[in-house]
Amino acid sequence: MKIIVGNWKMNGNAEILAEMMTEIANINTDNRVILCVPYTLLRTGTGAVMIGAQNVSKYDMGAHTGDVSAAMVAATGASATLVGHSECRACLHDTNADVAMRAEQAIKNDLWPIICVGETAAERDTGLTHKIIELGVRESIPNNATNGNFIIAYEPRWAIGAGVIPSITEIAAAHKIIREILNEMGFDETPILYGASVSADNVNEIMSIKNVDGVLVGGASLKKDDFIPIITSVK
Ligand code: PEP
């Protein structure tokens, strides 16, 4: 079973979500599909689709205007959440420690956190890619993590929404590092996803890379004609 996560960002509505869930229910796939939707669309998933949020608060509750707690997300029936997505790291100035707090809240509330790590263009240009990935993984995993109760998504930040992906060799090297760190930490069953500019055209090549257990898809998860072929072509 492979994992395919859609990140709708600030897009979609209830009608589009219902239609997408019906479409996915009608295809024959063994893959686990998780749709991470805006807070207002959170709901219980169906057998074929899990529903996730795109972030959760670092805190349990209290004076945090605009924030949404993991308990609140769980109460909608949703069962997963992204944490540490590049766009959240950028606009909320999240450090790896902040991301770990969010992931801890998610796990505490029985949500499956998808912890995103990856380098910016500047970090890539200065040869820091592997260091950033290593620190991202080691520092963003919370204390209450166990083997398999979280997911890591490698998302090179410069490639998100850009229509370009790293070379196959670069993706393979990044995933190898992540797998080695996870194994060393005792998390050998934790899935590792690749994300950034995944499409129906490149998904098979990406999925053929060792240690790639699934994909995180942004833009191409919004329309069924783009997303369904991705789900069906991943075996
Ligand atoms: C994302 O936002 O997580 C993402 C992978 O976006 P895109 O597929 O559009 O690059």
Side-chain angles (χ1 to χ4, degrees):
M1 182 193 74
K2 305 294 182 189
I3 300 173
I4 299 167
V5 179
N7 173 18
W8 277 15
K9 312 192 185 203
M10 201 169 69
N11 295 292
N13 59 38
E15 202 181 329
I16 298 171
L17 178 59
E19 196 189 343
M20 183 69 90
M21 290 177 75
T22 306
E23 289 282 336
I24 297 172
N26 286 339
I27 58 175
N28 188 11
T29 178
D30 292 333
N31 295 324
R32 160 65 62 202
V33 180
I34 308 174
L35 279 178
C36 294
V37 297
Y39 288 127
T40 52
L41 298 181
L42 289 174
R43 46 166 288 178
T44 308
T46 62
V49 186
M50 277 167 84
I51 298 293
Q54 297 169 11
N55 205 1
V56 290
S57 177
K58 294 186 276 191
Y59 308 107
D60 279 316
M61 60 184 296
H64 304 288
T65 303
D67 225 351
V68 176
S69 72
M72 291 169 180
V73 168
T76 68
S79 42
T81 185
L82 298 172
V83 289
H85 187 276
S86 167
E87 287 148 24
C88 297
R89 285 183 187 256
C91 66
L92 301 172
H93 307 293
D94 269 2
T95 62
N96 289 331
D98 294 318
V99 174
M101 286 174 73
R102 296 180 191 280
E104 183 173 355
Q105 286 291 331
I107 291 172
K108 205 167 119 185
N109 289 282
D110 294 326
L111 298 174
W112 210 11
I114 302 155
I115 302 172
C116 305
V117 301
E119 76 286 358
T120 61
E123 288 160 349
R124 181 177 200 241
D125 292 345
T126 48
L128 289 173
T129 298
H130 291 175
K131 187 78 199 153
I132 293 298
I133 292 171
E134 173 166 5
L135 288 176
V137 174
R138 288 194 191 280
E139 297 177 354
S140 305
I141 295 175
N143 291 332
N144 58 355
T146 60
N147 201 2
N149 77 353
F150 68 101
I151 295 173
I152 294 285
Y154 168 56
E155 292 212 295
R157 295 171 65 173
W158 53 272
I160 293 178
V164 289
I165 61 168
S167 70
I168 297 306
T169 315
E170 286 172 306
I171 298 174
H175 280 247
K176 181 169 182 283
I177 290 169
I178 296 170
R179 175 50 64 213
E180 283 169 0
I181 296 168
L182 290 174
N183 287 356
E184 177 203 310
M185 295 174 85
F187 301 130
D188 59 322
E189 281 168 27
T190 294
I192 309 169
L193 314 184
Y194 168 81
S197 295
V198 174
S199 68
D201 293 335
N202 62 23
V203 70
N204 284 323
E205 195 175 19
I206 292 168
M207 287 303 305
S208 70
I209 302 171
K210 196 169 173 205
N211 299 313
V212 175
D213 304 310
V215 285
L216 171 48
V217 188
S221 70
L222 292 173
K223 293 195 194 126
K224 60 180 178 1
D225 291 348
D226 295 327
F227 197 40
I228 299 292
I230 293 177
I231 300 170
T232 52
S233 65
V234 172
K235 304 280 184 239

